[in-house]
Amino acid sequence: MRGLKTQESEKFNKFFVMVQKAAQNKNAVFFLEAGDGRDFETSKMEGEDLQGWLIPNNQADEFESIWRKNEVSEKWEDFFCFAVWRKRGERFEISFE
């Protein structure tokens, strides 16, 4: 899945699809660096706050090539952010902070 380097559980992948949909709403792709805690788990999904880069679609291919090689430079630091989940009733929402 784009934005992930590692194999994750099916439950986490469902969460990460939500993260990418929130990124798409901002015309961007989220590239995961690491989990940031505040874990949750339901019968269908699991996740946590994440840290990584929210990269505009028009720069995503360029960024992905260096991200995959672990060569992200300071040039990209303005795109670094946290993907924070919130539960609203039965729905989860993702915001980038």
Side-chain angles (χ1 to χ4, degrees):
M1 180 179 308
R2 191 167 200 191
L4 287 177
K5 290 183 188 174
T6 57
Q7 282 290 94
E8 299 294 338
S9 71
E10 183 178 329
K11 289 170 103 177
F12 181 83
N13 286 340
K14 286 181 181 180
F15 172 69
F16 201 72
V17 166
M18 286 180 38
V19 172
Q20 290 299 22
K21 284 181 181 177
Q24 285 175 1
N25 290 337
K26 295 186 169 292
N27 295 312
V29 178
F30 184 78
F31 292 90
L32 180 64
E33 172 69 9
D36 201 48
R38 257 188 10 102
D39 301 11
F40 75 89
E41 185 171 356
T42 70
S43 62
K44 297 178 182 179
M45 187 169 47
E46 67 185 7
E48 64 181 304
D49 290 344
L50 305 173
Q51 53 183 294
W53 296 267
L54 186 64
I55 304 296
N57 287 333
N58 65 351
Q59 295 176 287
D61 290 341
E62 175 188 359
F63 180 82
E64 186 170 17
S65 67
I66 61 169
W67 171 77
R68 289 223 173 263
K69 296 184 273 185
N70 295 317
E71 296 177 354
V72 178
S73 69
E74 290 180 8
K75 168 186 174 182
W76 301 95
E77 69 184 25
D78 289 344
F79 298 102
F80 195 82
C81 67
F82 297 89
V84 177
W85 66 269
R86 289 178 180 78
K87 190 168 183 193
R88 305 263 190 229
E90 293 301 310
R91 294 184 37 175
F92 285 87
E93 295 177 354
I94 306 297
S95 62
F96 298 100
E97 302 173 1

